């Protein structure tokens, strides 16, 4: 019997995807194995019997919980006012700015917060001139919460607003026609819809905040205000106690796994903040009623998000750029940042492309397995990856030679879930639209790629690359582990300038980073690039 | 002529590039079908009457009084859309009860009114269901029950049968006609289907590109040959 023709389409790229997945699995699990190997070194004993560990754990949960409550809670009135007021000038711009804090290097944001709320900040200077008492210091729990709300309130608002946008237009009209008062509207419409999204949003913020490193390192400090991640960093970089670090890491991973299980129940995409439609018709809102309240709420929220950005800009403009530009160290840091960002983004995008290609061509369980491996890093916080690779590099390899590779690798791993979420829909579309047609025309190899796949995938590949590059550009935690005299990126350089009290230089570098990141995130926020030149 | 119940006088509205101008008179107790191709401004007409959109100029009169300054809730009408006439997270009972008073707590009399209205539209026993647990026809009936408890004299129906099959559609039309007889409603029914107009309405208005070209007795309109746009539309 003659051999029957087997369609190749369905299987193409699946094997390559699995090779990438296995490689990925090894690279992500290596640090865990390394940490597990040192967990019994030195003194033994129960992890939770150590009062230091317990205190750190308690503070981690406390600040995470309060950050989530504050961010999600404050988002409710802000969302409501923003949803009611569809037409004020600058609304779209403001909502775009609400996407900025997440894309901002955390160190830059922290500088912005100090510029506004710090001892010499905008608010204290105003209070001083008015003869009023000063704000409490921005360090410690208060400062950490302030920074976390700054990052996460806009995120929560975008999630809740997206949920309100799912209310059918007819429902708003009905509400108007039935004569709902503002509180009826909240009780019968706004709150039920927001309530559906709130647990997931709060859980997501909690998760983000208990793995927050930079904010806690800079605004916290001292044994009173240390989280697990900062404690791991200190245990490795300063005290070199691998066993303690490994135990803390074990705790942190268990905590994250538990939370991810919870998050899955809310079926909330961890990877991407929702895109907003930006327009709803609200015949229930009368121009005058509630205008003052809505206006005040929006103004306060806008100031809260925009002031720290303004702070970075104002302080940054006062920097001496001529001197900065003559500093060879700065140029070296910029070069490292570009090199690491580009390599990490390329690696992440390429790996994600292999995975996505295999996912859309696999059956249910195969696709799920690949997707799970791609998202694995969400389970392992970057600081844990950094800690494991740090131990490996510093104990068994040449740190100067291998540190840059470790930094690139971890940055790529961190960006992978986001790149994958970006790419999968594009690959699916390409697969569904063109695969059979291309097969029937006999298109193969590079011709098939340039003619059929690239035009469809170009925009999502570019987006995935940009997102990964943006994340790597502002990344501070991993470089804090691996940085040395040879290897300094822009964020680390910034941190060193703050550490040596050269605030003028720091402000200048922060502004440069801010401009770069805002430019990139606006490229990302833009409507998708045109598919092809028609 | 006696004063019409509802009157639109040169009510104009701009949607993108299209400028619409509506003139219309509806007498008390009339059942008027508003028919026309998609994009001719049928739903916009209802939105203007309901107060969801504000006209550029012109006035909408109710019993001779200008109602254009009134917000939707203070106009003498109820509206029924094709979909989403119920709040998806509230029970059928609550959805209907919102028609009495969205803010106040209901007394026993009000609760009875809600139950009566539900029985009248054939939803007895389904009051604790969520809208998602009802069929499309049942959801529209629940919305009709809310119109009953609201006791507003004018019903605006915006393609309410478009998602229903032919059998259900005829049932709904029959039900609406019964309710009209019992309560003396005046009804505007937007539809793109000539059959709906023939089955339900004693008057039919024909819309084309934002103008009402004719409003006549339904039978008469369908025999009209002097309006080329209408002949094109009916084919």
């Amino acid at each position: 019997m003659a051999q029957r023709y087997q369609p190749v389409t369905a299987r193409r790229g699946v094997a390559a995807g699995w090779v990438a997945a296995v490689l990925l699995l090894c690279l992500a699990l290596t640090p865990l194995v390394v940490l597990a190997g040192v967990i019994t070194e030195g003194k033994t004993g129960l992890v939770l019997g150590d009062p230091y560990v317990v205190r750190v754990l308690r503070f981690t949960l406390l600040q995470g919980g309060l950050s989530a409550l504050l961010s999600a809670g404050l988002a409710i009135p802000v969302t409501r006012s923003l949803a009611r007021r569809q037409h004020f000038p600058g609304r779209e711009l403001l909502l775009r700015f609400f996407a900025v804090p997440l894309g901002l290097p955390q160190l830059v944001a922290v500088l912005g917060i100090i510029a506004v709320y710090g001892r010499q900040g905008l608010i204290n200077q105003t209070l001083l001139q008015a003869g009023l008492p000063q704000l409490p210091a921005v360090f410690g729990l208060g400062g950490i919460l302030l920074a976390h709300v700054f990052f996460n309130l806009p995120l929560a608002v975008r999630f809740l607003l997206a949920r309100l946008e799912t209310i059918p237009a007819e429902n708003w009209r009905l509400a108007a026609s039935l004569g709902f008062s503002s509180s009826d509207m909240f009780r019968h419409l706004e709150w039920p819809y927001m309530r559906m999204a709130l647990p997931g949003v709060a859980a997501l913020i909690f998760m983000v905040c208990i793995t927050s490193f930079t904010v806690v390192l800079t605004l916290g400090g001292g044994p009173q205000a240390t989280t697990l991640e900062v404690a791991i960093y200190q245990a490795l970089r300063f005290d070199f106690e691998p066993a303690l670090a490994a135990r803390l890491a074990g705790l942190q991973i268990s905590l994250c796994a538990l939370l991810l299980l919870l998050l899955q129940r809310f079926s909330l995409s961890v990877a991407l903040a929702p895109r907003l439609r930006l327009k709803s018709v609200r015949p229930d809102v009368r121009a005058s009623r509630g205008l003052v309240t809505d206006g005040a709420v929006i103004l306060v929220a806008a100031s809260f998000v925009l002031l720290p950005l303004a702070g970075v800009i104002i302080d940054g403009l006062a920097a001496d750029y001529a001197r900065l530009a003559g500093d060879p160290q700065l140029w070296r840091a910029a070069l490292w940042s570009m090199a690491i960002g580009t390599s990490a983004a390329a690696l992440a995008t390429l790996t994600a492309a292999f995975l996505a290609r295999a996912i859309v061509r696999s059956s249910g369980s195969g696709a799920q397995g690949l997707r799970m491996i791609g998202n694995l890093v969400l389970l392992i916080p970057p600081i844990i990856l950094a800690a494991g690779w740090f131990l490996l590099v510093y104990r068994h390899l040449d740190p100067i030679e291998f540190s840059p590779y470790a930094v690139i690798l971890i940055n790529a791993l961190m960006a992978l879930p986001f790149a994958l979420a970006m790419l999968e829909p594009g690959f699916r579309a390409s697969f569904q639209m063109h695969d059979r047609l291309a097969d029937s025309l006999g298109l193969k190899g590079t011709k098939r790629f340039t003619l059929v796949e690239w035009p469809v995938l170009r925009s999502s590949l570019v987006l995935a690359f940009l997102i990964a590059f943006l994340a790597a550009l502002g990344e501070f935690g991993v470089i804090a582990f691996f940085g040395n005299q040879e290897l300094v990126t822009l964020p680390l350089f910034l941190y060193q300038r703050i550490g040596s009290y050269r605030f003028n230089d720091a402000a200048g570098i922060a502004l440069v980073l801010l401009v770069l990141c805002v430019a990139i995130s606006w490229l990302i926020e833009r409507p998708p690039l045109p598919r092809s030149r028609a | 002529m006696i004063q019409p119940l509802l009157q639109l006088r040169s009510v104009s509205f701009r949607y993108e590039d299209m400028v619409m101008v509506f003139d219309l008179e509806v007498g008390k107790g009339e059942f008027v079908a508003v028919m026309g191709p998609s994009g001719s401004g049928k739903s916009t007409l209802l939105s203007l009457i309901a107060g969801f959109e504000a006209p550029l100029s012109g006035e909408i009169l109710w019993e001779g009084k200008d109602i254009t300054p009134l917000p939707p809730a203070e106009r003498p009408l109820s509206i029924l859309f094709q979909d989403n006439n119920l709040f998806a997270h509230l029970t059928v009972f609550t959805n209907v009860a919102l028609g009495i008073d969205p803010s106040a707590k209901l007394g026993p009399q009000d609760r009875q009114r809600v139950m009566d209205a539900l029985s009248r539209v054939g939803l007895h026993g389904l009051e604790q269901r969520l809208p998602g647990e009802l069929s499309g026809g049942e959801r529209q009936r629940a919305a009709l029950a809310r119109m009953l408890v609201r006791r507003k004299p004018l019903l605006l129906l915006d393609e309410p049968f478009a998602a229903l099959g032919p059998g259900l559609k005829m049932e709904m039309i029959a039900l609406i006609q019964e309710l009209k007889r019992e309560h003396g409603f005046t009804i505007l029914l937007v539809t793109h289907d000539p059959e709906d107009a023939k089955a339900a309405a004693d008057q039919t208005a024909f819309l084309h590109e934002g103008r009402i070209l004719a409003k006549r007795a339904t039978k008469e309109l369908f025999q009209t040959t002097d309006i080329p746009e209408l002949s094109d539309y009916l084919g």
Side-chain angles (χ1 to χ4, degrees):
Chain A
M1 199 173 83
Q3 208 180 353
R4 268 176 291 175
Y5 170 74
Q6 297 291 328
V8 285
T9 309
R11 310 295 313 154
R12 179 174 310 164
V14 171
W18 276 104
V19 171
V22 170
L23 217 67
L24 198 68
L25 208 56
C26 295
L27 291 173
L29 293 184
T30 304
L32 300 192
V33 175
V34 173
L35 287 170
V38 299
I39 207 159
T40 52
E41 269 180 28
K43 60 173 183 181
T44 48
L46 284 172
V47 184
L48 291 175
D50 185 339
Y52 171 71
V53 173
V54 171
R55 198 166 56 214
V56 168
L57 179 64
R58 229 181 30 216
F59 185 78
T60 304
L61 295 173
L62 174 74
Q63 61 83 21
L66 287 176
S67 300
L69 274 181
L70 281 172
S71 304
L74 291 171
I76 295 171
V78 176
T79 304
R80 190 164 185 252
S81 292
L82 277 169
R84 286 164 53 85
R85 301 295 154 187
Q86 296 276 333
H87 295 293
F88 64 87
R91 182 176 188 270
E92 197 174 331
L93 196 69
L94 182 65
L95 287 177
R96 271 168 163 266
F97 265 109
F98 271 33
V100 169
L102 264 192
L104 210 59
Q106 299 219 333
L107 212 48
V108 173
V110 166
L111 271 185
I113 282 167
I114 293 173
V116 176
Y117 303 96
R119 196 183 300 277
Q120 310 284 326
L122 289 176
I123 293 182
N124 269 340
Q125 280 178 7
T126 317
L127 289 175
L128 196 66
Q129 276 173 2
L132 293 167
Q134 302 276 292
L135 291 178
V138 76
F139 298 98
L141 181 61
I144 292 171
L145 291 182
L146 193 62
H148 283 168
V149 175
F150 170 75
F151 284 115
N152 294 301
L153 174 71
L155 175 76
V157 167
R158 285 172 66 95
F159 268 110
L160 294 184
L161 207 54
R163 185 52 73 123
L164 284 190
E165 285 183 350
T166 66
I167 298 179
E170 290 94 340
N171 276 191
W172 294 119
R173 295 180 159 193
L174 271 180
S177 161
L178 293 172
F180 278 20
S181 68
S182 160
S183 68
D184 295 332
M185 202 67 80
F186 185 70
R187 202 152 44 101
H188 295 313
L189 260 182
E190 291 158 335
W191 172 243
Y193 275 80
M194 288 203 237
R195 195 183 49 198
M196 289 187 250
L198 270 174
V201 169
L204 176 63
I205 295 173
F206 183 67
M207 174 97 184
V208 169
C209 290
I210 62 165
T211 57
S212 150
F213 176 80
T214 309
V215 166
V216 180
L217 185 69
T218 46
L219 294 179
Q224 266 74 44
T226 294
T227 56
L228 286 170
E229 298 218 334
V230 173
I232 293 168
Y233 168 74
Q234 282 161 347
L236 275 184
R237 276 250 34 176
F238 295 114
D239 310 330
F240 210 76
E241 284 192 56
L244 178 60
R247 287 171 198 182
L248 292 166
L251 258 181
Q252 176 78 316
I253 291 175
S254 325
L255 204 57
C256 286
L258 207 72
L259 276 169
L260 269 178
L261 274 178
L262 263 174
L263 266 180
Q264 279 204 318
R265 284 202 36 217
F266 301 123
S267 66
L268 192 78
S269 163
V270 184
L272 291 175
R275 266 178 196 282
L276 294 173
R277 273 192 294 137
L278 295 171
K279 278 281 166 286
S280 305
V281 180
R282 290 288 301 269
D284 59 290
V285 178
R286 272 196 267 170
S288 54
R289 197 197 280 170
L291 184 63
V292 176
T293 320
D294 287 341
V297 169
I298 292 171
L299 197 69
V300 170
S303 316
F304 183 68
V305 173
L306 296 180
L307 273 181
L309 300 177
V312 172
I313 294 171
I314 294 168
D315 284 359
L317 287 177
D320 184 350
Y321 284 98
R323 199 185 63 221
L324 265 178
D327 185 348
Q329 279 181 294
L330 176 72
W331 290 107
R332 255 167 65 92
L335 268 179
W336 268 124
S337 275
M338 290 300 142
I340 288 171
T342 315
S343 319
L347 191 59
T349 310
L350 197 69
T351 316
F354 273 112
L355 286 177
R357 207 166 132 99
I359 286 173
V360 301
R361 282 158 197 198
S362 300
S363 57
S365 58
Q368 212 155 26
L370 286 166
R371 209 177 286 125
M372 245 168 68
I373 295 173
N375 286 325
L376 187 72
V377 194
L378 294 175
L379 195 78
I380 313 170
I383 295 301
I384 309 285
L385 290 174
W389 281 104
F390 178 82
L391 263 179
L392 191 73
V393 167
Y394 272 73
R395 277 196 163 176
H396 305 291
L397 301 165
D398 175 5
I400 298 294
E401 194 186 341
F402 282 94
S403 286
Y405 296 112
V407 173
I408 291 170
L409 174 71
I410 297 167
N411 271 297
L413 283 174
M414 280 156 60
L416 191 68
F418 301 88
L420 189 59
M422 217 57 250
L423 289 185
E424 202 189 308
F427 272 89
R428 194 169 296 284
S430 156
F431 178 62
Q432 280 165 354
M433 282 193 300
H434 300 315
D435 250 25
R436 293 189 170 183
L437 183 60
D439 271 357
S440 73
L441 293 174
L443 279 171
K444 281 198 195 99
T446 48
K447 188 139 195 169
R448 179 180 179 124
F449 181 75
T450 53
L451 227 56
V452 180
E453 288 173 350
W454 173 246
V456 178
L457 294 174
R458 191 181 57 153
S459 67
S460 38
L461 284 168
V462 169
L463 276 185
F465 182 90
L466 285 177
I467 287 180
F469 184 78
L470 179 66
L473 187 64
E475 202 287 327
F476 177 66
V478 176
I479 197 67
F481 271 88
F482 287 98
N484 52 46
Q485 302 91 319
E486 298 291 316
L487 177 62
V488 178
T489 60
L490 281 176
L492 182 58
F493 188 60
L494 171 58
Y495 185 68
Q496 289 171 347
R497 292 288 122 142
I498 299 172
S500 49
Y501 296 100
R502 293 174 67 177
F503 290 116
N504 191 264
D505 285 359
I509 304 160
L511 181 57
V512 171
L513 268 173
L514 175 73
V515 169
L516 273 175
C517 289
V518 169
I520 297 171
S521 41
W522 279 35
L523 278 181
I524 293 170
E525 267 279 300
R526 232 170 38 150
L529 304 170
R531 275 216 179 120
S532 61
R533 277 153 290 179
Chain B
M1 185 186 162
I2 47 164
Q3 190 183 51
L5 190 67
L6 172 74
Q7 193 175 11
L8 276 72
R9 281 197 201 145
S10 308
V11 173
S12 69
F13 186 76
R14 175 193 284 273
Y15 181 73
E16 287 171 4
D17 285 341
M18 183 154 108
V19 177
M20 312 178 185
V21 183
F22 298 113
D23 283 281
L24 180 68
E25 292 186 355
V26 177
K28 186 169 166 46
E30 280 185 16
F31 194 141
V32 184
V34 177
M35 185 181 73
S38 59
S40 59
K42 303 187 296 284
S43 291
T44 306
L45 175 65
L46 288 204
S47 286
L48 287 165
I49 298 173
F52 302 140
E53 304 283 3
L56 290 174
S57 63
E59 48 190 8
I60 300 168
L61 304 176
W62 178 259
E63 292 175 334
K65 280 200 302 275
D66 188 6
I67 56 168
T68 30
L70 296 182
E74 287 166 38
R75 301 189 183 201
L77 55 90
S78 296
I79 187 159
L80 183 67
F81 306 103
Q82 180 180 332
D83 291 310
N84 301 315
N85 286 294
L86 305 177
F87 300 107
H89 52 278
L90 301 177
T91 62
V92 169
F93 182 90
T94 313
N95 265 292
V96 175
L98 287 175
I100 295 180
D101 187 340
S103 311
K105 213 155 163 50
L106 297 187
Q109 269 187 328
D110 297 325
R111 304 184 67 85
Q112 194 52 49
R113 252 172 80 199
V114 173
M115 296 305 279
D116 289 347
L118 281 168
S119 300
R120 180 64 196 86
V121 298
L123 293 183
H124 183 76
L126 300 183
E127 54 275 356
Q128 289 311 318
R129 300 267 183 101
L130 287 173
E133 300 164 341
L134 300 182
S135 71
E138 287 169 336
R139 283 199 286 270
Q140 296 301 66
R141 284 166 184 268
L144 281 178
R146 189 177 52 213
M147 290 183 151
L148 289 182
V149 302
R150 291 197 76 207
R151 298 176 172 159
K152 303 275 185 173
L154 176 64
L155 304 189
L156 303 179
L157 312 179
D158 192 354
E159 306 226 21
F161 320 127
L164 306 180
L168 267 179
K169 184 194 279 195
M170 286 306 144
E171 258 177 52
M172 284 289 290
I173 290 177
L175 176 61
I176 289 171
Q177 279 172 332
E178 283 169 31
L179 297 178
K180 176 176 179 306
R181 270 198 301 278
E182 291 163 22
H183 299 269
F185 291 126
T186 303
I187 300 179
L188 282 180
L189 165 71
V190 159
T191 179
H192 61 269
D193 185 352
E195 296 309 315
D196 289 357
K198 283 183 195 165
D202 36 48
Q203 295 267 319
T204 297
F206 176 66
L207 252 77
H208 184 79
E209 294 185 350
R211 299 273 191 294
I212 297 171
L213 296 187
K215 175 184 173 253
R216 297 176 192 173
T218 303
K219 263 193 199 136
E220 197 184 317
L221 188 88
F222 280 102
Q223 282 158 6
T224 301
T225 50
D226 59 342
I227 306 172
E229 291 89 350
L230 178 61
S231 308
D232 285 349
Y233 177 67
L234 293 174

